[in-house]
Amino acid sequence: MSYPPISEQLDDPEGAREEGRRKIDWASGHMPILAALREEFEELRPFEGQRIAMAMHVEAKTAALTETLAAGGAEIAIAGCNPLSTHDDVSAALDANENITSYARRGVEGEEYYDAIEAVIDLRPTITVDDGGDLVFRIHEEHPDLVDGIIGGCEETTTGVHRLRAMDEDGALRYPVFAVNDTPMKRLFDNVHGTGESALANIALTTNLSFAGKTVVVAGYGDCGRGVAKKAAGQNARVIVTEVEPRRALEAHMEGYEVMPMREAAAKGDVFVTVTGNRDVITREHFEAMKDGALLANAGHFDVEVNLDELSDLAANVREVRDGVMEYETDDGRRLNVLAAGRLVNLAGPLALGHPVEVMDQSFGVQAVCVRELVAAHSGGLRDRLAERLRERLGRSDRLEAVGEDTYGPGLHEVPDALDREVATVKLAAEGIDIDALTDEQADYMDDWRHGT
Ligand code: NAI
């Protein structure tokens, strides 16, 4: 029997749809980049005939992206990309759109999680949009026959890009995928500000505890860690950073944070936030050194950063002390509190809403122009119409360079910078912010290596 869409799984799909629709409308109303792209897609219908398979955190902002792509004529199937990040009401509201089937449901794990992904793959996609890479890997492993029909994909997060890069280096990635995560419009805002704000907000909401005066240990000083550290310091916490990369460690030091190995930080921290994309960052030797009452949260993509198996082995007692907080009591009476089952705290906590809407407008704006770019690369007609449209909207010919100019062979691709600049330009216009433009003389000066003292 095939896996049913969410509407067939819920007791009150109608009620869920209404609530989901309210959430989507609120988010969409604060996403000017997607609104501008939706208008363009409704007019040009670039995705007519395309089938888009998506595996994402199915909440209101993702729904706005999904509906924007559907407005361009795509047929879409979507599943979750994490067992705890789906909002069932949003999923039900999406499923009510005649061009969208949503299989995402909160709380599905293991086999059922992959059943939903399989149902999405049944669409026989021409394009994939992924967060974490599970969809791309499943297609390559279980459905290699579909690869020839796929014109390309987009990957949202660092961990997914990391996996795809490894796949590409092995020559195993058989269709083009854009590394959306790596664009400035995504990374410098979503990872830094989005993760920083939403991870801390969700730790505070889940525990009702303050950061002021506490010691927050941030494991990993990449884009996400940088944001978590900055915002924790902004809430009057002392911040300790742990790293394995010497330049990142030095950067954290120069920002004024204490830097030390986890084995030392373990005894000092009141709150731990892992954002490494790696496994076993906090393990038994660290649990053994921690203070009574320590809070442990993960904001990295997978639930492997805090080793919960080792913590369970150490615990004499485990109980849920608050929604989303599991207390592990050790033999010597210390209580260590794990938030959101060690999954992405900003998306999987009981009250989690994910990143702020404005930030996701940018990330998903890049996703939407990347999907458009994949299609434009295969269609001269669309390419010309888009070029005209962009010229009208942006009035600058340099933005047009990237539109469908490449056919993108199999492998991981950087997003053309012009597309990223297009998204930034739309956002600045929506914010009513004007900026200077280079004069011809300035542009020549910048390009000419002969100028010196
Ligand atoms: P990044 O690659 O910029 O930074 C990760 C940092 O962790 C690197 O500096 C690396 O040296 C360090 N690291 C690796 N192993 C470590 C260890 N054992 N101990 C200490 N540091 C270690 O990656 P980015 O963009 O900061 O992403 C981190 C994770 O967060 C990824 O899994 C990504 O997918 C996820 N992510 C989560 C979001 C959310 O909503 N919670 C949003 C965006 C990304």
Side-chain angles (χ1 to χ4, degrees):
M1 205 184 72
S2 59
Y3 190 78
I6 181 89
S7 304
E8 291 172 26
Q9 299 187 38
L10 296 178
D11 293 336
D12 177 17
E14 194 51 48
R17 260 177 230 138
E18 260 179 51
E19 184 50 25
R21 175 47 46 201
R22 265 175 15 121
K23 290 183 180 175
I24 299 170
D25 287 348
W26 171 263
S28 300
H30 294 83
M31 300 179 91
I33 301 170
L34 285 189
L37 289 169
R38 185 188 295 222
E39 197 185 306
E40 172 188 300
F41 295 167
E42 277 168 350
E43 184 191 323
L44 299 180
R45 302 284 288 175
F47 309 134
E48 208 76 73
Q50 300 295 335
R51 296 181 300 280
I52 304 181
M54 301 174 72
M56 309 281 284
H57 300 293
V58 179
E59 46 74 66
K61 286 92 71 185
T62 310
L65 169 66
T66 312
E67 291 189 335
T68 301
L69 297 175
E75 191 187 344
I76 299 178
I78 185 165
C81 67
N82 182 291
L84 292 180
S85 62
T86 295
H87 290 215
D88 286 348
D89 47 10
V90 169
S91 180
L94 270 184
D95 197 46
N97 183 314
E98 62 178 346
N99 294 323
I100 302 170
T101 310
S102 179
Y103 298 96
R105 177 143 197 208
R106 186 179 171 89
V108 296
E109 297 210 51
E111 216 171 293
E112 208 184 345
Y113 173 82
Y114 282 104
D115 284 348
I117 296 224
E118 283 292 331
V120 161
I121 295 172
D122 274 350
L123 182 69
R124 304 186 67 80
T126 55
I127 293 171
T128 61
V129 180
D130 232 320
D131 188 323
D134 283 344
L135 190 54
V136 175
F137 298 110
R138 191 77 180 186
I139 288 172
H140 279 73
E141 273 166 27
E142 307 286 336
H143 305 278
D145 53 305
L146 294 183
V147 165
D148 286 347
I150 298 179
I151 61 174
C154 303
E155 170 53 50
E156 171 78 7
T157 198
T158 314
T159 287
V161 168
H162 205 73
R163 292 172 84 189
L164 289 165
R165 188 162 289 123
M167 212 172 158
D168 194 13
E169 280 162 10
D170 281 352
L173 182 56
R174 292 182 47 215
Y175 62 83
V177 182
F178 280 128
V180 169
N181 177 74
D182 294 355
T183 58
M185 278 300 279
K186 199 274 180 185
R187 208 165 45 79
L188 301 180
F189 302 91
D190 175 317
N191 298 31
V192 179
H193 295 282
T195 310
E197 282 183 30
S198 66
L200 293 182
N202 278 289
I203 293 169
L205 279 175
T206 308
T207 61
N208 200 16
L209 298 174
S210 165
F211 290 104
K214 292 209 172 59
T215 298
V216 174
V217 177
V218 181
Y221 197 72
D223 291 314
C224 295
R226 201 174 287 132
V228 174
K230 187 182 172 74
K231 312 267 173 179
Q235 295 194 46
N236 297 355
R238 281 181 298 277
V239 175
I240 295 176
V241 168
T242 73
E243 249 299 341
V244 293
E245 212 287 329
R247 289 155 300 180
R248 295 264 168 102
L250 205 49
E251 193 190 341
H253 168 71
M254 297 289 273
E255 284 295 329
Y257 306 123
E258 275 193 80
V259 179
M260 63 184 74
M262 184 58 84
R263 100 180 93 73
E264 284 172 36
K268 299 184 193 274
D270 300 303
V271 183
F272 294 79
V273 187
T274 53
V275 257
T276 68
N278 205 346
R279 59 177 300 163
D280 301 330
V281 179
I282 303 185
T283 59
R284 186 183 183 107
E285 63 160 320
H286 309 124
F287 302 133
E288 282 172 342
M290 281 179 187
K291 295 194 249 186
D292 180 32
L295 304 179
L296 283 79
N298 168 50
H301 191 77
F302 289 119
D303 60 341
V304 294
E305 307 215 6
V306 180
N307 190 322
L308 291 182
D309 289 340
E310 290 188 4
L311 183 55
S312 296
D313 289 347
L314 208 62
N317 253 316
V318 183
R319 64 187 183 119
E320 188 170 35
V321 284
R322 241 179 105 77
D323 278 0
V325 185
M326 291 302 282
E327 176 193 89
Y328 291 72
E329 188 176 357
T330 57
D331 280 336
D332 55 10
R334 286 171 307 119
R335 290 154 302 173
L336 306 183
N337 299 296
V338 175
L339 275 54
R343 296 193 183 277
L344 292 155
V345 70
N346 58 327
L347 283 151
L351 301 168
L353 295 172
H355 285 5
V357 177
E358 299 92 328
V359 163
M360 292 318 294
D361 190 30
Q362 297 190 187
S363 303
F364 288 158
V366 180
Q367 286 278 9
V369 294
C370 283
V371 172
R372 188 191 67 192
E373 174 71 1
L374 288 168
V375 178
H378 286 260
S379 155
L382 174 62
R383 209 161 41 226
D384 296 344
R385 279 182 294 147
L386 276 173
E388 199 179 307
R389 187 64 216 258
L390 280 176
R391 197 172 290 116
E392 270 168 31
R393 181 185 317 137
L394 304 174
R396 298 210 18 201
S397 59
D398 71 350
R399 314 270 177 211
L400 313 180
E401 281 159 21
V403 177
E405 69 170 6
D406 197 334
T407 48
Y408 305 107
L412 188 65
H413 292 264
E414 276 181 25
V415 175
D417 195 56
L419 295 182
D420 204 47
R421 278 184 283 132
E422 178 194 344
V423 176
T425 306
V426 175
K427 173 77 178 184
L428 282 174
E431 296 277 328
I433 299 171
D434 207 2
I435 60 170
D436 289 323
L438 288 177
T439 61
D440 290 344
E441 291 75 19
Q442 285 174 324
D444 289 345
Y445 178 82
M446 301 289 276
D447 287 344
D448 193 342
W449 55 268
R450 288 181 196 82
H451 293 296
T453 45

